[in-house]
Amino acid sequence: MKPGATRAWAALGRFLAPADRVLLALSRGRVGVGAAAGLSTLLLTTTGRHSGQPRQVPVLYVRHGGGLVVVGSNWGGDRHPGWSANLLAQPRAEVTARGRTTAVTARLLTGEERRSAWEKVAAYWPAYDAYATRAPDRAIRVFLLTRSPETSA
């Protein structure tokens, strides 16, 4: 089993996520834990579905289908991550990566689109398959983020 697929890695990831969020925010998406490990990471800013306040979270992404695919794996936990519920409630968001912030619109993928995107992200980060196995009571949410009609911030 690859290190990223182990329960220990998931536990470590939950610990590192707050540090990653701070590093990505301070560096405008240039420096983060995932990026240091050679992973494509962005800082996703959603609107809190209850508070209406901006919420930031670091996520891995893969380019696919004319946009960026992000996965709400929650490290294989039994609940969906809050940011994915935020995107369902308000699909407009921002991504910050490599020093640029861009307005995006999220779309939950289903059916063949989801299967195709899942193959791509699982090839990039095979641990996603392990996370899905550990979360059999929920379908892990997969979103396609595309540039919003408005210009980059």
Side-chain angles (χ1 to χ4, degrees):
M1 182 178 283
K2 295 187 181 262
T6 65
R7 289 185 187 278
W9 178 262
L12 180 63
R14 287 186 182 117
F15 172 75
L16 292 176
D20 206 21
R21 180 176 25 253
V22 170
L23 286 171
L24 286 165
L26 291 175
S27 69
R28 292 188 41 97
R30 290 186 182 99
V31 177
V33 176
L39 301 172
S40 297
T41 306
L42 58 81
L43 188 64
L44 176 65
T45 305
T46 63
T47 301
R49 65 192 177 286
H50 298 297
S51 69
Q53 297 300 308
R55 301 290 183 219
Q56 294 186 317
V57 62
V59 293
L60 296 182
Y61 72 91
V62 174
R63 293 186 183 281
H64 180 73
L68 307 175
V69 174
V70 295
V71 177
S73 69
N74 208 18
W75 306 95
D78 59 353
R79 295 176 24 186
H80 293 289
W83 65 262
S84 73
N86 291 345
L87 286 179
L88 291 175
Q90 172 51 264
R92 294 186 149 214
E94 289 184 340
V95 297
T96 303
R98 298 187 186 104
R100 292 192 56 190
T101 299
T102 304
V104 296
T105 301
R107 185 167 57 86
L108 181 66
L109 299 181
T110 61
E112 178 59 27
E113 276 187 309
R114 183 189 184 283
R115 187 199 61 73
S116 175
W118 185 268
E119 286 179 2
K120 182 105 179 209
V121 297
Y124 178 74
W125 185 247
Y128 282 132
D129 285 329
Y131 299 159
T133 300
R134 287 201 301 266
D137 295 333
R138 68 178 179 97
I140 291 177
R141 293 174 179 157
V142 179
F143 292 91
L144 179 65
L145 307 177
T146 54
R147 184 182 294 265
S148 292
E150 57 266 50
T151 59
S152 298

